[in-house]
Amino acid sequence: MTKNTAAQVHHVTHPLVQHKLTLMRNKDASSTTFRTLLGELAALMAYEITRDMPTQLVEIETPLETMRSPMIDGKKLVFASILRAGNGMLDGLLRVVPNARVGHVGLYRDPATLQAVEYYYKMPADMAERDVIAVDPMLATGHSAVAAIDKLKAAGPRSIKFLCLLAAPEGIRTLHAAHPDVPIYTAAIDRELNDHGYILPGLGDAGDRIFGTK
């Protein structure tokens, strides 16, 4: 179930998605539990964000006869992980689309300015033939998402979507102001950001909770 809450924002309201997100928000969830739930949730959201993927008819043999049946070309799809937390979603996404390519955009948030600083970028070749899904669990200030999509657009892919677990209204506004053509898919739109740029009520720092670094 997906609800369009505003232009280009797709709120994934499926009960399983919401259930797993609630378990992830719990401050007592271990890193192992958090990672497992994140992978499961990413796989569920992959069904929503790939709903309009193009297919082509191919000829196959069933046990009874020959037929033409639709297939997607997973090799045309790129999951662009915004490091480091985006990597926590890759396993779940690749379980659904195992032939997809994977790229990485390395960004960190300057604690003083909250602006994104790039330190790594690696994408597959022939981006002009590919559809990109940029992946980051959190859309907070939106600065990292904008910086990543700036870089991705420079490679000239056919399309770009943005996938996250949580979005703050401020992040949605920032991303849409810079890239109004990029749809956002999220499991929750939370209330606001605090003074340090964290989403409230949120789930804490996704990277720290994935990797057990805090």
Side-chain angles (χ1 to χ4, degrees), residues 65-141:
E65 63 182 46
T66 300
M67 69 170 292
R68 288 173 62 78
S69 191
M71 289 189 69
I72 62 171
D73 185 356
K75 295 177 182 178
K76 299 290 187 183
L77 182 64
V78 177
F79 293 124
S81 172
I82 300 175
L83 300 176
R84 64 182 168 148
N87 278 1
M89 300 179 72
L90 288 178
D91 284 348
L93 296 170
L94 290 169
R95 282 200 297 271
V96 178
V97 193
N99 290 332
R101 301 294 194 257
V102 176
H104 295 87
V105 183
L107 300 166
Y108 70 89
R109 186 172 61 178
D110 185 299
T113 66
L114 302 183
Q115 297 296 311
V117 180
E118 180 188 326
Y119 64 88
Y120 185 79
Y121 178 81
K122 182 72 172 181
M123 288 293 144
D126 304 320
M127 289 291 282
E129 301 176 5
R130 303 184 187 280
D131 299 301
V132 176
I133 297 175
V135 180
D136 191 340
M138 316 294 279
L139 178 59
T141 64

Side-chain angles (χ1 to χ4, degrees), residues 1-59:
M1 287 176 250
T2 303
K3 179 168 60 177
N4 292 326
T5 58
Q8 296 286 79
V9 180
H10 303 267
H11 183 190
V12 181
T13 60
H14 192 288
L16 282 173
V17 168
Q18 296 303 313
H19 173 82
K20 292 178 185 299
L21 179 58
T22 295
L23 295 175
M24 291 178 68
R25 288 184 189 268
N26 190 328
K27 67 181 181 64
D28 295 324
S30 67
S31 290
T32 299
T33 297
F34 192 91
R35 283 194 300 268
T36 299
L37 289 166
L38 180 57
E40 293 171 352
L41 208 159
L44 291 170
M45 294 188 71
Y47 287 99
E48 292 294 339
I49 200 166
T50 58
R51 183 180 293 275
D52 61 353
M53 280 185 66
T55 60
Q56 59 182 346
L57 292 176
V58 298
E59 188 170 288

